[in-house]
Amino acid sequence: MHILVTNDDGPPSPTSSPYVHSLVRELQKRGHTVSVCLPHTQRSWIGKAHIIGQTVKPLYYRPSPTFDPTPGAAAKSQGRTYTRPSKDAQEEEWILVDGTPASCAQIGLHNFFQEKGPVDLVVSGPNYGRNTTAVFALSSGTLGGALEAAVCRRKSIALSYAFFSRNHDPTIIDGASRHSVRVIEKLYEQWPTDKSVDLYSVNVPLVEGVEERKTLWTDLLQNYWGENGSCFEEVEGSIGDEDEEEVRIREGEEAAESGKTGSGESGAAAKETQTRYPHRHFKWAPKFTDVHRSVEESPPGNDGWAVKEGFTSVTPMKANFWNAATHLHGGELKLDTSNSQSTQISTSTLIYRPKQHFYALIAYNDPYVQPLILSALQKLFPPEAYTLLSIPPSEVPGEPVSLSKLVPSNSNSRVLQITPYEAIDWDYVDSHPETCLVNSYMLRKALIRKHYLSATVEQWVAKRPESVLKTHVKRSEAFELDYAEFLDDALVEAFDLRASLDRNAEARPGHETEWWILKPSMSDRGQGIRLFSTMEELQDIFDRWEEDQPDSEDENENLEEEEDGDGGGGGYAAGDGITTSHLRHFVAQPYIHPPLLLAAGPGGGRKFHVRTYVACVGSLDVYVYRDMLALFAGRPYVAPTTAASASASSTTTSTSTADAGAQIDLEAHLTNTCLQRSVTDGTVQRFWDVPLENTKKQDVFDQICAVAGEVFEAAARAMLMHFRPLANAFEIYGLDFLVDAEGTAWLLEVNAFPDFKQSGEELTPLVAGLWEEVLGKAVSGFFGGGGREGREKGEDGEEQLVLVRRVDLGR
């Protein structure tokens, strides 16, 4: 038969109209000709109304072959809407009308689909929620569409799906649709010919096995609102998102009572300014306590009771709200045996959104970290608390992802974005300071660029000579160099460095060579790090790099832009493992020798540094993650002077200091695992597991906490133009510390978006725990409610995320 489908929930949507696509497809599978005319948006609680005085305009919706009703698919494109009809007569096209369900029934019957022949039956629904009892039925847009069809002398059925929990399995939805089609076909087959029935109201419970449960004839339970309960509450401001309001109402939640405020005036002055009525806003917030009680207290046989018991309810009606065919009430509608084959569908769920709901764009672009972040969200928040978004394929990699295109137009939608720095939509972040939370600060190169970090520490210590940074950060000589031939000019003001190099070159008797470490300011992952002790060795380093650089300036045309930004750098990769975008700003620091070496264990005799994860939340709380890493060099440690001599004697006969410096085996000195050619077991360990006295490990941790808190406060207060914490942001940094033989922890560098993969598979739980702790603090703290703040205490009873500094910036 030719069936016209309408509803009051609008076109398919995981958030507001999750059922209509399933029903249409099931009707088509059964061989029916289906035409669809729906409101262009949600029109719940509007009854059988028409909007007069406006021109009703259609849109043309082309549905997708399949539909995913889960909240995670909210951002997916599942069907498209057009302003003009398709020229392809074979293409499936639904009509969307900017009117009411009753108007859709009228227009669908009389103005479209004539080429398919007369409409045999109108089905209004399936409604997103039950329409049992008089209170619901009298205002239902679903029943309104069926009633309009009935007064147009067409057979019609109002179909509603009743849910009982917040978890909706798509398999259950499709089962309800198969069952509904069987009910529809049976009702049409035995429709009374004496005009005793104009329409049916069918309520199908969304429960497992609904196809095997009874379908009962019922009457409409007469019930009423509570005697003292208004359906509106006084509010300030505008109402919330319509889709979310409908979900909340359908869940039967109690509306919160809002307080009333007075004018603050008194006496005659108050009377003079008092209006006849206080000016207020009112929000639709019905209280369903008495409605639900009426169902609980009612005798068997009515529609409310049937659905409560898990049965399908069929209520015969006339188009005047009278009960019809009362002789059937209490009996069972016998259905034909189902021969449809159920299909395998994903077991993902359809979830209702609580008041604390937020959208989450989690696209970290790292297969090691991405599942850990998603797992942390699952542990911290119930599934109904958030909806996952996905980046559309049309987005350009490396460009900001437009959040305004991913979330509903409602400005109150709350969003969590965890993506690479380059993908953050900073305009959206700035314009939504109370509803958008991101995983990075916009400005932070005061810490993550080595020459800026040097300046930060220098300025802070100059004004606060008692600062812990003075004794835990090595002095740095920062300089700029474009071409190797100008090295002498670049070091004109590097007095300490030049004096040290001159002393080393003289090599007077009894003089101990002071080695220096060179670091490109913008490099990460250990790129470009070199050791040197003389001017000749330093010159040789730059000469070698310059030989590997490209000749064309076109390959570096974006260099300035990359250096000025706070995100990652790019550039041409030279053969020596350094990119050209790093070859401009440098820092040189005294090499820390001798380092602390372990006497035993997998890392015995090898140099190591401590990787500490620091989380900054808002503006500004600084946390240190207690579970730290110890990253070991690939080979046993040898002092750089002896390394040069040994290398020279074994590989070359050259005696020049430049050759000696070039021959240093960096793998014994560099502890960054990504640079090691011979990574062995034990290269990465939990710091608290290394064979060192517990008191020493605790002392190192205490030093790290003090330095971490101090350096972030220094950046926030002394370098306002280059480090600006945001109240609606958080960020995880990787801080590297080297412990010398005396037990002093020296800060080496601060890394944004640290390389978590270096932890390795065995220590994945450490990184997972970090994200769980940080999201617990940042997300729960920002959005409020719905989650918990991190994990319980660790196995040792200690807090895993330690607050080391709370900086009041007055913002």
Side-chain angles (χ1 to χ4, degrees):
M1 56 183 158
H2 183 191
I3 299 176
L4 172 65
V5 173
T6 187
N7 69 6
D8 69 355
D9 293 322
S13 165
T15 59
S16 60
S17 184
Y19 306 145
V20 65
H21 192 283
S22 173
L23 178 72
V24 169
R25 289 290 179 258
E26 194 60 34
L27 287 169
Q28 292 169 334
K29 288 179 183 177
R30 299 283 288 182
H32 300 294
T33 299
V34 183
S35 300
V36 184
C37 185
L38 311 174
H40 77 298
T41 189
Q42 185 190 94
R43 294 297 187 192
S44 295
W45 292 85
I46 202 168
K48 198 189 83 67
H50 295 285
I51 301 175
I52 63 172
Q54 78 165 43
T55 300
V56 178
K57 300 178 291 295
L59 296 171
Y60 305 88
Y61 176 83
R62 297 165 197 172
S64 57
T66 60
F67 179 76
D68 182 0
T70 60
K76 293 181 181 178
S77 176
Q78 301 191 83
R80 295 182 179 274
T81 302
Y82 300 85
T83 58
R84 301 290 295 175
S86 173
K87 296 181 180 180
D88 183 0
Q90 303 302 316
E91 187 170 25
E92 184 180 17
E93 197 165 60
W94 299 1
I95 306 300
L96 306 182
V97 173
D98 59 344
T100 67
S103 299
C104 291
Q106 276 275 355
I107 292 173
L109 285 170
H110 300 298
N111 301 98
F112 286 95
F113 315 120
Q114 282 80 6
E115 73 279 5
K116 299 180 181 180
V119 172
D120 301 301
L121 176 70
V122 176
V123 175
S124 183
N127 187 64
Y128 191 6
R130 72 193 66 196
N131 274 309
T132 57
T133 80
V135 166
F136 288 107
L138 286 169
S139 299
S140 168
T142 301
L143 266 76
L147 283 166
E148 186 65 24
V151 297
C152 290
R153 303 175 186 272
R154 296 298 199 283
K155 297 172 182 176
S156 62
I157 296 173
L159 177 64
S160 305
Y161 289 175
F163 49 77
F164 298 89
S165 71
R166 298 185 177 188
N167 295 327
H168 285 64
D169 192 325
T171 304
I172 294 179
I173 294 174
D174 283 358
S177 293
R178 289 192 297 271
H179 178 63
S180 297
V181 171
R182 292 173 58 212
V183 172
I184 290 169
E185 292 174 337
K186 193 65 176 180
L187 291 176
Y188 185 83
E189 175 187 334
Q190 61 181 44
W191 205 284
T193 57
D194 59 358
K195 299 184 179 180
S196 59
V197 175
D198 291 331
L199 69 153
Y200 293 97
S201 176
V202 177
N203 283 271
V204 178
L206 288 179
V207 294
E208 292 184 4
V210 69
E211 296 172 273
E212 286 72 48
R213 293 173 180 253
K214 291 183 178 181
T215 299
L216 302 180
W217 298 103
T218 64
D219 63 345
L220 186 71
L221 175 64
Q222 181 64 62
N223 58 356
Y224 306 87
W225 294 117
E227 292 183 358
N228 299 318
S230 171
C231 287
F232 290 85
E233 68 176 3
E234 298 178 16
V235 297
E236 294 182 1
S238 61
I239 65 172
D241 178 76
E242 291 181 2
D243 291 348
E244 295 184 7
E245 291 301 314
E246 171 64 8
V247 171
R248 185 182 63 79
I249 290 171
R250 286 302 188 186
E251 290 170 2
E253 296 178 355
E254 287 293 326
E257 293 286 349
S258 61
K260 302 179 182 180
T261 58
S263 65
E265 300 179 23
S266 61
K271 291 182 179 180
E272 291 177 3
T273 59
Q274 185 177 5
T275 59
R276 181 179 181 184
Y277 301 110
H279 181 65
R280 294 161 291 181
H281 288 188
F282 299 90
K283 182 179 181 180
W284 173 247
K287 300 174 179 61
F288 291 111
T289 302
D290 293 313
V291 176
H292 295 320
R293 183 183 299 117
S294 69
V295 174
E296 295 293 335
E297 297 175 352
S298 67
N302 63 75
D303 56 354
W305 167 87
V307 171
K308 176 175 69 74
E309 297 298 321
F311 302 125
T312 296
S313 164
V314 178
T315 302
M317 301 180 69
K318 290 290 289 182
N320 54 16
F321 290 108
W322 291 351
N323 285 325
T326 55
H327 63 284
L328 296 174
H329 294 171
E332 179 181 357
L333 173 63
K334 298 294 185 180
L335 302 177
D336 298 329
T337 302
S338 173
N339 57 5
S340 61
Q341 299 295 322
S342 60
T343 57
Q344 289 293 107
I345 299 179
S346 169
T347 58
S348 56
T349 57
L350 177 65
I351 302 166
Y352 298 119
R353 296 174 177 169
K355 296 177 181 178
Q356 292 79 22
H357 173 272
F358 61 91
Y359 293 91
L361 176 60
I362 312 298
Y364 200 79
N365 200 27
D366 185 334
Y368 181 90
V369 182
Q370 176 78 2
L372 303 182
I373 300 175
L374 294 174
S375 176
L377 282 178
Q378 293 172 0
K379 292 179 180 179
L380 291 167
F381 300 94
E384 66 270 19
Y386 64 94
T387 299
L388 289 176
L389 303 174
S390 57
I391 296 180
S394 59
E395 293 290 340
V396 179
E399 295 292 330
V401 177
S402 177
L403 290 179
S404 60
K405 296 180 180 179
L406 298 183
V407 300
S409 57
N410 177 14
S411 61
N412 293 324
S413 297
R414 302 190 298 176
V415 187
L416 168 66
Q417 180 178 5
I418 300 180
T419 64
Y421 180 92
E422 295 78 11
I424 295 177
D425 184 353
W426 290 112
D427 290 336
Y428 190 94
V429 174
D430 182 62
S431 60
H432 296 78
E434 297 182 357
T435 57
C436 179
L437 179 67
V438 292
N439 64 311
S440 175
Y441 297 129
M442 185 176 185
L443 301 175
R444 69 267 208 276
K445 59 185 176 184
L447 293 163
I448 66 174
R449 297 287 183 251
K450 297 179 183 66
H451 59 301
Y452 278 95
L453 176 61
S454 172
T456 299
V457 173
E458 182 178 353
Q459 291 187 31
W460 186 255
V461 171
K463 295 182 179 180
R464 297 168 179 80
E466 75 287 352
S467 171
V468 68
L469 299 182
K470 185 174 182 178
T471 55
H472 289 79
V473 182
K474 286 290 185 179
R475 74 183 190 277
S476 298
E477 298 284 2
F479 60 94
E480 294 185 32
L481 181 64
D482 291 309
Y483 299 99
E485 62 183 296
F486 300 126
L487 179 60
D488 276 333
D489 296 335
L491 298 180
V492 167
E493 297 183 3
F495 303 111
D496 292 342
L497 173 60
R498 296 205 65 134
S500 174
L501 298 183
D502 289 343
R503 290 193 298 270
N504 292 338
E506 292 176 5
R508 293 181 179 179
H511 171 72
E512 182 177 349
T513 301
E514 182 180 18
W515 284 83
W516 290 73
I517 185 167
L518 176 70
K519 302 176 182 178
S521 181
M522 294 179 62
S523 70
D524 54 14
R525 299 167 62 85
Q527 290 182 333
I529 294 179
R530 299 291 185 268
L531 298 182
F532 65 97
S533 62
T534 67
M535 191 68 178
E536 187 179 359
E537 292 171 2
L538 183 59
Q539 183 70 60
D540 183 66
I541 291 171
F542 284 104
D543 288 341
R544 290 173 184 268
W545 278 340
E546 194 164 85
E547 291 174 1
D548 289 327
Q549 290 189 53
D551 296 329
S552 171
E553 294 183 0
D554 293 338
E555 297 181 47
N556 278 323
E557 62 182 358
N558 296 323
L559 176 59
E560 293 289 348
E561 180 179 346
E562 292 167 354
E563 289 190 357
D564 290 339
D566 275 70
Y572 171 82
D576 208 12
I578 181 70
T579 60
T580 56
S581 65
H582 300 158
L583 294 176
R584 178 157 298 175
H585 298 282
F586 299 88
V587 293
Q589 294 175 315
Y591 185 65
I592 300 172
H593 171 77
L596 176 65
L597 300 176
L598 302 178
R606 285 186 286 157
K607 178 182 174 181
F608 71 93
H609 82 263
V610 179
R611 164 53 63 90
T612 304
Y613 294 116
V614 174
C616 290
V617 178
S619 58
L620 171 70
D621 290 346
V622 183
Y623 296 88
V624 169
Y625 186 53
R626 182 176 177 80
D627 215 354
M628 303 183 297
L629 295 172
L631 279 71
F632 290 80
R635 296 183 181 178
Y637 180 76
V638 181
T641 49
T642 57
S645 302
S647 179
S649 63
S650 62
T651 63
T652 181
T653 59
S654 171
T655 58
S656 78
T657 57
D659 286 343
Q663 296 293 342
I664 292 176
D665 183 5
L666 289 176
E667 196 167 0
H669 298 271
L670 299 185
T671 52
N672 194 308
T673 57
C674 64
L675 294 180
Q676 295 170 8
R677 300 182 303 276
S678 55
V679 176
T680 59
D681 292 341
T683 300
V684 182
Q685 302 177 36
R686 290 183 70 251
F687 171 75
W688 297 100
D689 292 341
V690 299
L692 194 65
E693 294 91 337
N694 288 333
T695 55
K696 289 186 178 180
K697 288 188 283 192
Q698 184 62 46
D699 179 61
V700 170
F701 180 71
D702 292 341
Q703 293 180 60
I704 288 174
C705 289
V707 173
E710 187 85 350
V711 75
F712 279 95
E713 181 171 5
R717 295 194 186 279
M719 300 288 278
L720 297 177
M721 295 300 295
H722 303 298
F723 182 63
R724 192 171 303 170
L726 300 174
N728 59 328
F730 69 95
E731 186 159 13
I732 297 176
Y733 298 89
L735 274 63
D736 291 334
F737 291 85
L738 184 70
V739 183
D740 65 18
E742 301 298 323
T744 301
W746 296 91
L747 174 63
L748 301 180
E749 61 185 30
V750 178
N751 300 282
F753 287 86
D755 180 17
F756 293 107
K757 292 192 299 294
Q758 65 183 333
S759 304
E761 293 300 325
E762 292 184 1
L763 293 178
T764 297
L766 183 148
V767 181
L770 167 68
W771 278 101
E772 190 175 333
E773 291 283 347
V774 173
L775 294 183
K777 292 288 184 184
V779 181
S780 296
F782 185 79
F783 291 139
R788 56 186 178 86
E789 293 196 2
R791 301 182 298 173
E792 303 297 328
K793 294 183 179 181
E795 296 178 0
D796 54 4
E798 298 284 351
E799 292 287 346
Q800 292 301 296
L801 202 60
V802 181
L803 178 65
V804 298
R805 193 67 56 99
R806 178 160 285 164
V807 184
D808 184 3
L809 299 175
R811 297 199 287 268

